[in-house]
Structure formats: C-alpha cells, structure tokens
Amino acid sequence: MRIDRDRLKSLMAKERQKFVDERPKSKALFERASKSLLAGVPMNWMMKWAGTFPPFVREAQGAHFYDVDGHRYIDLCLGDTGAMTGHSPSATVSAVTQQVGRGITLMLPSEDAIWVAEELQKRFALPFWQFALTATDANRFSIRLARHITGRSKILVFNWCYHGTVDESFITLHDGVAEARRGNIGPPVDPPVTTKVVEFNDADALEEALKPGDVACVLAEPVMTNVGIVHPQPGYHQAMRDITRKYGTLLIIDETHTICAGPGGYTFAQNLQPDFLVFGKPIAGGVPGAAYGFTEQVAQCISDRQSLEDCDTGGIGGTLAGNALSLAAMRATLDKVLTAPAFERMIPMATRWKAGVEKAIKDFGVPWHVTQLGCRAEYLFAAKEPRNGTEAHDAMDFELERYLHLYALNRGVLLTPFHNMALMCPATAPDDIDHHTKVFRDGVRALVA
Ligand SMILES: Cc1ncc(COP(=O)(O)O)c(C=O)c1O
C-alpha cells in the first residue's frame, strides 16, 4: 500500500494549524526565546519536535506533563529515556532534596558512591565502576581506556548506531563504503581514520574487520534502539564475544537504552560478558549521571598503567563527575525506583501498547510492524523486522513520522522526536496506553481510509 503524499501534506498542514491555534502561550514563549536562544531552543535537538515550535513545559509528574497552555500529555518519550523512572520519582526527589542542603559537589567521595557501585556489581556482574555525567562521556572514557590498554587506535561500531556525541561513532556505510554520517558537524578527523563500521547481525563482516588486529574495542548496544529496534539474531552475541576475544578486541556494551529490558539490562537478561558496560540517562532519575563498569582484568590493566601525577589530565573524568548529588540520586533511583517490581509493571504496558498498534496496523492494512524490548516499543514503516541498521534506516519515513507524531501531540500523547519510540515508566497506566491506541488508530484512519 502506498501513502498518498498529497493527502499526507494536507493532513500535516491541518495538524500544524491546530497545534499553533491551541498553544498561544507556548507560541509567545517561543517568539521570545528566538531572540536569545539559537533557533528558539536551549539545545539544538529540540528543533526536531513535530510542531511549529516545541510545547513549553509547565510541570511534569510520573507519566504525564502539562504545557504552559494547560494541555495534559501522556509522556511516552520520557526525555528519550532520561525519565524512564517517571518524572520526579518521589524517592529520588527526597534524596536529592536532602543532599542538596548537605553539599552538591566536592571532588571527594561519599558513601553513596560505594552503595551504587555495589548495586551495579549485583546488577551487571562487573566488579569495578566509575562515574561520569553523561552516557556520552562514559562511552568516551571506556573507548579511551580500551585504546590505552590494547595500544590499538581504532574502534568498531555498527551501521546506524547512536552512542551519544562520541566523535568516532558518526560513521555510516554508503554502498559498503565507510563515510562520515550525514549531518556530522565538524568532525575532528574523517571518521574512517578512527573507526570501522559493519552491519549488526553480520558475524562474518565483524570477523573481517577485526582480523587485522588494529581494533581496540567494539562499542555496541546489545539491541539497536536508535534506528528503530533491531534485535540480535540467535547466536549473534555469542559470535560477537567469540570473535572479539579471538582478536584481542575489548567489548563495550552500552546499556543506556537497553536498560529497558530489566533491572540488569540486556546484559543480565541474556548473560552477556562485556569487558566494559555503560549505563547513563535514567540511572539517577533524570539528574545528570552515568556509570561505566569493567572486568577485574581491565581494572588491573588500568591500574598497571596509572600515573598519579597525570591522572587529572589523561582525558578521563570530569570536575563534576561522581558528585554527591548525582550519587545520592543514583542510590535512591536504583534502590527504590528502577526496581524489579517496577519492571514487572512497565513491561506489560509496552506489551499492551504493542498489541494496540499491531491491531491498528492489521485493521488498516498498512505494511508496518511493531517491535518491543522490555518496557520500550516502536513501530517501523516496513512489514518485516529489520536485521540490521540499513534495513531499519531504509524503512524510515520522516514525513510520515512527523505527521503521526504531531497527530498524537495534538491529542495529548508525546512520542520521541526521533523515530517512533514509546517508553513506559512505572507510573504509565493502562488508560494511557489505550488513549495512545485510539489516537494512533484515528491518525492512521485519517491517512488511509
Ligand atoms: C545508546 C545510547 N548511548 C549513549 C547515549 C548518550 O546519552 P547522553 O546524550 O545522555 O550522553 C545515547 C543517547 O541517546 C544512547 O541512545
């Protein structure tokens, strides 16, 4: 079935008008913002929301937020996983409130750091941990350490991956040739100088790339989540581990999004054996913080090469990393919010969301499908599940995506502005899901009926 593009354009124009008409206060704020903020937003990605401007937020709590015009939204974006805990979870808020009056940052450790590291040991079966402020930094530090340990210069990533603003990762394959990713702003060097890129789920390509012995580490999401969801095929993770070990390449598993699979992420659920593991975004309930863990062997290699005199200028760490506030927030979040019982509530919500979207797809006969990973689900504009980043990327349709997102936003549902991801938090309720299902059905009906 083909989408009628003229119809799509005219529906989109109507939705844009509705969005503007119903949000005079956000519009006024946006006009004011345009005089002091580049493109009227505090961070460039916020240009990407499907409306003419982003709704300005008045307040958020649990699975919902209100904009300044008084509209209530079901939040299925949840700060693109930063608020997978739900907005302002009470345990995190009370820990942060207490800590904020007792010192925010000192460049000295607090007992919370040990508690959090001990908890992460239990969750991910890795013995040693360090902290950063963002998952991007945790990835960057892990990559640096991998290079330091192996003495190799290159890293390897999967085609159409995303791991934060890590310079080395902005590389894609064009007709089999590695090039800078479209839109890559000011790369320090041409990405193929630093990075090899292969398709996910292709063990032979991985082996070919690692064979020369110049790759320090593979940086991988265990399930790709940033180009839609791409699941590993049976046996692929074992093959990845065997091949990386065979060629002395370290394996960094980035669980920043795949933590949606459960309290120990995909690593615990599938008994993966990474050398490094990165976990950011929701780890502190939305307060900036990230962690990276590693094996005993990696810890030994780092210790053997450590220089006391230069340890503050080696390119790892940060003044505010591991600060007292962030660690208090992590402790409360891990102890009381991102718990096993919370996942037992969240995952069935994603299953319900998937079933609702799947039924609409079937009823209206559109050639799309829905995938789920724990408490995350996503629809993609292709009939079959993709096996790799290219297949997933080929199925994207920016115009269609924006229409469905804006249609939902105008009816009180926020999806992520990148692809069609919906995430559940512990406060997401069946009514929230059913409202999305209705809105999705209506949006698709308007398009094809
Ligand atoms: C898998 C993954 N890793 C790392 C990051 C970077 O997170 P941050 O932007 O918080 O540094 C992202 C961001 O979307 C991500 O999806």
Side-chain angles (χ1 to χ4, degrees):
M1 175 198 251
R2 287 189 166 271
I3 300 294
D4 178 341
R5 293 287 152 177
D6 291 337
R7 183 168 185 170
L8 179 55
K9 279 195 178 61
S10 110
L11 285 169
M12 189 64 184
K14 269 195 225 147
E15 291 302 319
R16 278 219 187 87
Q17 196 55 53
K18 180 174 163 63
F19 180 85
V20 174
D21 291 347
E22 292 176 355
R23 286 164 187 81
K25 290 187 179 157
S26 272
K27 181 167 183 276
L29 285 176
F30 183 67
E31 282 163 3
R32 184 176 142 210
S34 303
K35 296 182 188 133
S36 60
L37 299 170
L38 185 66
V41 288
M43 195 269 284
N44 50 319
W45 303 357
M46 294 187 199
M47 293 191 295
K48 207 164 178 182
W49 293 108
T52 317
F53 44 81
F56 278 69
V57 176
R58 193 183 75 205
E59 66 178 89
Q61 179 62 57
H64 301 100
F65 72 94
Y66 289 87
D67 70 14
V68 289
D69 289 286
H71 301 287
R72 180 180 186 263
Y73 300 85
I74 298 159
D75 192 352
L76 297 175
C77 167
L78 294 168
D80 194 20
T81 314
M84 196 180 94
T85 51
H87 295 290
S88 297
S90 59
T92 310
V93 168
S94 83
V96 165
T97 310
Q98 281 179 36
Q99 186 61 47
V100 93
R102 294 198 308 233
I104 295 169
T105 191
L106 295 104
M107 279 266 292
L108 285 169
S110 59
E111 194 250 337
D112 287 340
I114 309 171
W115 191 98
V116 173
E118 287 169 350
E119 174 65 18
L120 295 173
Q121 281 179 336
K122 286 182 219 146
R123 289 191 184 217
F124 299 109
L126 285 169
F128 289 103
W129 291 85
Q130 292 281 274
F131 297 99
L133 284 184
T134 64
T136 297
D137 269 354
N139 278 327
R140 288 198 309 109
F141 300 157
S142 303
I143 291 169
R144 270 186 177 265
L145 288 168
R147 285 192 168 124
H148 189 56
I149 292 168
T150 59
R152 299 175 179 183
S153 65
K154 290 202 192 269
I155 78 157
L156 182 140
V157 296
F158 293 100
N159 203 22
W160 296 110
C161 69
Y162 185 78
H163 294 282
T165 53
V166 175
D167 287 320
E168 293 92 332
S169 66
F170 291 104
I171 186 165
T172 44
L173 289 170
H174 298 260
D175 299 327
V177 180
E179 290 175 6
R181 185 174 179 148
R182 196 182 74 203
N184 189 3
I185 299 169
V189 293
D190 196 23
V193 173
T194 57
T195 310
K196 297 188 184 186
V197 53
V198 298
E199 294 289 3
F200 196 64
N201 277 325
D202 185 344
D204 292 342
L206 180 65
E207 175 140 26
E208 270 312 298
L210 298 193
K211 224 178 237 169
D214 54 354
V215 177
C217 60
V218 168
L219 173 61
E221 278 196 285
V223 179
M224 294 182 83
T225 67
N226 281 302
V227 59
I229 294 174
V230 183
H231 285 280
Q233 298 201 319
Y236 182 63
H237 270 291
Q238 191 53 53
M240 192 195 296
R241 190 61 277 203
D242 292 346
I243 295 165
T244 45
R245 286 205 172 117
K246 181 170 169 191
Y247 296 104
T249 297
L250 296 168
L251 177 61
I252 306 172
I253 291 287
D254 180 353
E255 288 276 8
T256 299
H257 276 185
T258 47
I259 191 65
C260 62
Y266 199 81
T267 293
F268 180 79
Q270 299 293 325
N271 193 23
L272 305 185
Q273 317 261 302
D275 298 296
F276 289 85
L277 184 142
V278 166
F279 174 20
K281 294 203 185 183
I283 189 172
V287 172
Y292 56 110
F294 33 85
T295 59
E296 177 94 46
Q297 208 182 358
V298 166
Q300 192 57 53
C301 290
I302 300 170
S303 302
D304 290 349
R305 291 162 174 76
Q306 219 148 37
S307 147
L308 183 59
E309 190 174 352
D310 299 328
C311 71
D312 54 336
T313 50
I316 299 226
T319 316
L320 301 180
N323 70 73
L325 186 68
S326 160
L327 283 160
M330 282 186 207
R331 179 175 182 162
T333 304
L334 294 173
D335 191 23
K336 305 252 166 52
V337 187
L338 285 181
T339 58
F343 279 94
E344 280 162 27
R345 288 200 303 282
M346 290 146 80
I347 293 174
M349 289 303 113
T351 307
R352 189 180 183 106
W353 190 92
K354 179 173 183 260
V357 173
E358 228 157 34
K359 181 160 187 326
I361 288 174
K362 188 159 172 273
D363 289 350
F364 294 108
V366 283
W368 308 342
H369 77 274
V370 201
T371 327
Q372 182 182 353
L373 175 67
C375 65
R376 173 187 304 268
E378 168 126 21
Y379 52 87
L380 194 70
F381 305 122
K384 271 180 41 198
E385 282 200 18
R387 278 168 313 166
N388 58 41
T390 295
E391 287 183 10
H393 192 262
D394 287 351
M396 285 184 155
D397 183 330
F398 193 53
E399 196 182 22
L400 184 54
E401 185 176 297
R402 285 178 86 69
Y403 159 69
L404 287 168
H405 289 202
L406 188 55
Y407 192 93
L409 194 62
N410 276 335
R411 289 153 189 85
V413 180
L414 187 81
L415 293 155
T416 37
F418 330 111
H419 46 99
N420 306 305
M421 190 274 283
L423 191 65
M424 315 298 144
C425 72
T428 310
D431 283 356
D432 298 327
I433 305 304
D434 296 347
H435 181 68
H436 172 268
T437 301
K438 180 182 179 320
V439 165
F440 180 75
R441 289 187 72 85
D442 291 350
V444 178
R445 184 185 291 110
L447 191 63
V448 301

